[in-house]
Amino acid sequence: MTFSVANSGANASQRRKVMVVAEPTRESAAALHYVLSHVIFENDILYLLHVENPTFWMNRISYFMKQASMSTHTNAAGESGGSNDGVGGGCIGGNIDFLEHMKNACELVQPKLKVKALKIESEARDKGYVIISQTKMLEIDLLVVGKRQSLANAILRQRKNGLMIRGDTAEYLLEHSECTCVAVQRKGQTGGYLLHTKTHRNFWLLA
């Protein structure tokens, strides 16, 4: 069974613009897997959008540099396999090149699919606002985002005077996106997906 809201009644002869919010997380990988296996057609255009706060990464890199410096002074100069390996490219490098890995994975699964990887640097605290601005500018038909359900997110979805107080990016996009938006939760490796839209919640889809 196909989620009709996600497909928007499209067929293989119609070209659509589909955007996936790309992050180095399991939730984002699940959203991309859902799109490739249930939504996208080879004549569609797939956008992988990553919104990055450069100030955040400057602070993160500075922190790791300090940790590496402390480790260097603590360990003997001749030791191998010290803590530098734990500080190095695993976190920083992974966040720098993960977007290209996602793009390559899409092209491997669907070689004829047109994939565009976009990285936007923004100082804005509201990542959701930046994403929605991009969907409007690129005239996106369908926006897909990975979603992590937690007690904190449920609490943060409380409303005040009809407005969202604060919530995760997925909830913000579901509430404010002008194009069709689907938030995806993966239920185990073979358990399927829980899909959410602004008007439909917890729609179950088998993998």
Side-chain angles (χ1 to χ4, degrees), residues 128-197:
Y129 176 81
V130 177
I131 294 171
I132 288 178
S133 297
Q134 289 296 309
T135 63
K136 293 178 181 178
M137 184 178 70
L138 297 171
E139 298 181 335
I140 297 298
D141 299 299
L142 173 64
L143 175 64
V144 182
V145 58
K147 176 175 172 58
R148 175 185 297 176
Q149 183 61 40
S150 66
L151 177 60
N153 287 342
I155 294 174
L156 291 173
R157 284 203 303 270
Q158 296 176 358
R159 295 171 179 270
K160 184 176 182 181
N161 298 326
L163 299 175
M164 296 288 290
I165 298 175
R166 186 182 176 187
D168 63 7
T169 301
E171 286 297 330
Y172 181 92
L173 297 177
L174 286 173
E175 185 70 18
H176 297 282
S177 177
E178 294 184 4
C179 66
T180 301
C181 180
V182 179
V184 179
Q185 285 178 267
R186 187 71 182 268
K187 306 302 288 184
Q189 292 300 315
T190 58
Y193 307 90
L194 280 180
L195 306 180
H196 311 267
T197 69

Side-chain angles (χ1 to χ4, degrees), residues 27 61 67 76 85 94 106 116 129 147 156 174 181 183 192 206:
E27 290 77 20
I61 291 172
Q67 293 298 311
D85 291 337
C106 295
K116 297 185 178 183
Y129 176 81
K147 176 175 172 58
L156 291 173
L174 286 173
C181 180
L206 295 177

